[in-house]
Amino acid sequence: MNDSVAVDAKRILLRYGAPIGVLDKVTEDDRIRFARLIARTSLPDRESRLRELLREGGYIEEE
C-alpha cells in the first residue's frame, strides 16, 4: 500500500478520536479499512462508529 495512504488513514482516525496508544497497535491494513469506512459514515456518527470498529477489531475493550 502507498505510504501516503497509510499516513492519511492514520490522520483520519486520529481526527475522529482514536487514542494514539491504541492506534499504534492497529495494523496498517485495518487503519486503511477503518478510515475508508469512517469516510463513508455521516459526520455526526464518525466518532462512535470508529470506537465500534476498534472494539470489533479487538483493539479496545467493551465500555
Side-chain angles (χ1 to χ4, degrees):
M1 194 60 59
N2 186 338
D3 284 341
S4 67
V5 173
V7 170
D8 287 344
K10 186 173 184 177
R11 196 172 290 135
I12 288 167
L13 298 178
L14 287 169
R15 179 178 298 141
Y16 292 107
I20 195 149
V22 171
L23 196 53
D24 287 341
K25 298 174 189 173
V26 178
T27 65
E28 188 173 286
D29 288 341
D30 276 349
R31 285 181 193 171
I32 293 166
R33 185 171 61 87
F34 292 168
R36 287 179 175 161
L37 290 168
I38 291 304
R40 293 183 191 117
T41 303
S42 66
L43 189 58
D45 299 328
R46 288 181 180 179
E47 187 174 342
S48 61
R49 177 67 176 135
L50 176 56
R51 293 226 179 251
E52 183 180 308
L53 290 169
L54 291 171
R55 275 194 301 277
E56 289 172 1
Y59 296 108
I60 60 175
E61 295 182 16
E62 294 289 326
E63 294 177 351

